[in-house]
Amino acid sequence: MYFDEKGAGNTEQCVALALKTAAERNIRHIVVASGSGDTAGLFIGAKGAHVVCVTNAYGFKEPGKTKMTDAARQELERAGIRVLAATHVLSGAERGISRKHGGVSPVELMADTLRMLGQGVKVCVEIAVMALDAGLIPHGEEILGVAGSGRGADTAVIMHPAHANNILDTKINEIVCKPKNF
């Protein structure tokens, strides 16, 4: 499915496509990017799926803070959705060094290359690797990543993520949906 435009207006359809695909393909693990928890909340009650929400790292926008409130985190966790806030694998420390000293790092080049398919595809890879590194999804299993191009969700990707120390072994098997015009 290709959406005409990127953005939050595709969220409900993207989530519905992700859940339908996971059920049809017997994909047991869904990793969703959600800064505030709103998008992840749409997965509450997902039958047969283990859902992991990857939110922004503390300090992403403001030192010592994250966008997701404690109440939102608790609601997701009570519903069985694991929440991960960690350094973004495709930026993190390398972006901080590049900002301070100029230049570009190999990880930033990888992120920009993935963005050629859309911001959501880049984020799907990133959050899947982060969830795998945190032990929240199993190694070697096909998973479904859900992300967006800002707020909400407009991209769903079936993949086999690899750990960050072998990130180039990550395989994107299928794009379920994404925006055409990004």
Side-chain angles (χ1 to χ4, degrees), residues 2-27:
Y2 292 99
F3 299 116
D4 287 331
E5 299 296 329
K6 67 181 181 178
N10 301 310
T11 301
E12 287 185 22
Q13 191 171 6
C14 179
V15 170
L17 286 167
L19 289 170
K20 180 178 184 261
T21 301
E24 289 174 353
R25 307 279 181 88
N26 198 29
I27 296 172

Side-chain angles (χ1 to χ4, degrees), residues 23 25 31 51 59 76 155 157 180:
R25 307 279 181 88
V31 181
V51 180
L76 292 171
T155 305
V157 175
K180 292 191 286 191

Side-chain angles (χ1 to χ4, degrees), residues 94-116:
E94 290 192 354
R95 183 179 292 159
I97 293 167
S98 294
R99 283 182 181 156
K100 184 162 183 134
H101 297 290
V104 66
S105 71
V107 169
E108 291 171 306
L109 288 174
M110 182 185 309
D112 282 344
T113 301
L114 285 167
R115 281 188 195 97
M116 292 170 70

